[in-house]
Amino acid sequence: MKKIRSQVAVAIVCCILGFMLTYQFRIISIQDTKLNLQGDSSQITAEVEQLKTQKDDLNKQINDLQNKIKNYQQSAANKSDVNKQIVSDLNNLNLITGNTDVKGQGLIVTITPKNNMFSSDITTQGDVITDKDLVYLVNELRFAGAEAISINDIRVLNYTGIKTSSGVSNIFIGTNDRISPYEKIIIKAIGDKDKLNSAMVFPGVLDAIPSSSYTVDAPEKSNMITISKSNTVTNFQYARQVK
């Protein structure tokens, strides 16, 4: 009887020791996982900050080069009528390519997410604004004669691609910039403000924005809109001038 009791006691002690060892191993594993995640997060944060710094440096270099070009143009314009014409052509080219800040009359369209954007009410992709919706509005503005367009102060050029990321977490504007479909979106367009407004208030145009998730303010006409230049550098690798 005593032998059986001893065996039972040993078995219970072994079970307790096994449970304690298993629990300790689990705690150690969880701590290691947290440390790894913290390490990965720190590394990712450092890389993001480094990329931001590099982008700021590149933008500064672009601004410096553009200022030098302006100085060269001004110097050339003071010499002859031919140079003045060349400078005028270059200025027009800068307007077309988005290499300079522009201002003028135009229209502002503000799209504001409703309070339920992060709730379970968002069940389908159709509830969230996507690249197709923005491309549609941009095309409508261009068709109405918009000479310059920006989305959340990001310049949209003729060759600027607009693409929704997987999971609709971001909308990429070009290759370097992005916006969130869950935050306010402001579209600015410079052109004949009355024509632009007529294009936007035309029945069905603003209905492209999901009304269940967003509020679209009445388009705002303005006599003075400023749109910043694009810092995107485009290098043509395949297109060549036909001689």
Side-chain angles (χ1 to χ4, degrees):
M1 189 70 176
K2 291 182 179 180
K3 185 177 181 180
I4 294 175
R5 289 179 179 176
S6 298
Q7 291 175 345
V8 171
V10 170
I12 293 173
V13 171
C14 289
C15 289
I16 294 173
L17 287 173
F19 174 78
M20 292 177 65
L21 288 172
T22 302
Y23 181 76
Q24 187 173 4
F25 284 139
R26 180 174 177 80
I27 293 298
I28 293 173
S29 176
I30 292 173
Q31 289 176 343
D32 289 341
T33 301
K34 287 182 177 179
L35 288 174
N36 290 333
L37 289 174
Q38 290 174 353
D40 293 342
S41 177
S42 299
Q43 183 178 359
I44 292 172
T45 301
E47 291 178 355
V48 169
E49 291 300 323
Q50 183 178 2
L51 290 173
K52 286 182 178 179
T53 301
Q54 292 177 356
K55 181 180 178 182
D56 291 339
D57 290 340
L58 289 173
N59 286 337
K60 185 178 182 300
Q61 293 178 21
I62 291 172
N63 290 333
D64 290 341
L65 289 172
Q66 289 177 340
N67 287 332
K68 287 182 180 179
I69 291 173
K70 287 182 179 179
N71 292 333
Y72 295 150
Q73 291 174 354
Q74 290 174 357
S75 297
N78 294 328
K79 293 183 178 180
S80 70
D81 292 337
V82 175
N83 288 340
K84 289 180 180 179
Q85 182 60 46
I86 293 175
V87 171
S88 177
D89 292 341
L90 286 173
N91 288 336
N92 290 332
L93 182 61
N94 285 331
L95 289 173
I96 295 172
T97 57
N99 290 328
T100 185
D101 298 342
V102 292
K103 62 182 179 180
Q105 66 167 289
L107 196 73
I108 301 174
V109 178
T110 302
I111 304 169
T112 306
K114 293 183 178 179
N115 294 331
N116 63 350
M117 282 297 290
F118 292 98
S119 72
S120 59
D121 295 337
I122 305 300
T123 56
T124 65
Q125 184 169 322
D127 295 324
V128 183
I129 192 171
T130 66
D131 51 0
K132 296 181 178 61
D133 304 321
L134 293 181
V135 169
Y136 174 71
L137 294 182
V138 168
N139 284 340
E140 289 293 323
L141 289 169
R142 282 187 175 142
F143 193 78
E147 298 175 350
I149 300 174
S150 69
I151 300 176
N152 283 11
D153 293 327
I154 302 170
R155 187 76 170 266
V156 179
L157 305 172
N158 292 333
Y159 46 81
T160 301
I162 300 177
K163 180 66 177 177
T164 299
S165 65
S166 58
V168 202
S169 57
N170 290 290
I171 301 178
F172 293 95
I173 311 293
T175 56
N176 300 321
D177 298 295
R178 62 184 177 180
I179 64 173
S180 171
Y182 304 100
E183 297 177 357
K184 181 181 292 187
I185 298 174
I186 300 177
I187 302 174
K188 298 179 182 178
I190 293 178
D192 186 314
K193 60 184 179 182
D194 293 322
K195 289 183 179 179
L196 296 177
N197 183 68
S198 296
M200 286 294 98
V201 299
F202 190 83
V205 172
L206 292 178
D207 291 342
I209 307 303
S211 59
S212 59
S213 306
Y214 298 89
T215 299
V216 182
D217 296 345
E220 177 188 351
K221 297 181 185 180
S222 175
N223 291 323
M224 185 54 63
I225 292 176
T226 300
I227 295 180
S228 300
K229 64 186 176 184
S230 171
N231 285 327
T232 300
V233 178
T234 302
N235 295 317
F236 290 95
Q237 299 181 17
Y238 305 102
R240 294 290 182 269
Q241 182 179 355
V242 177
K243 297 182 180 179

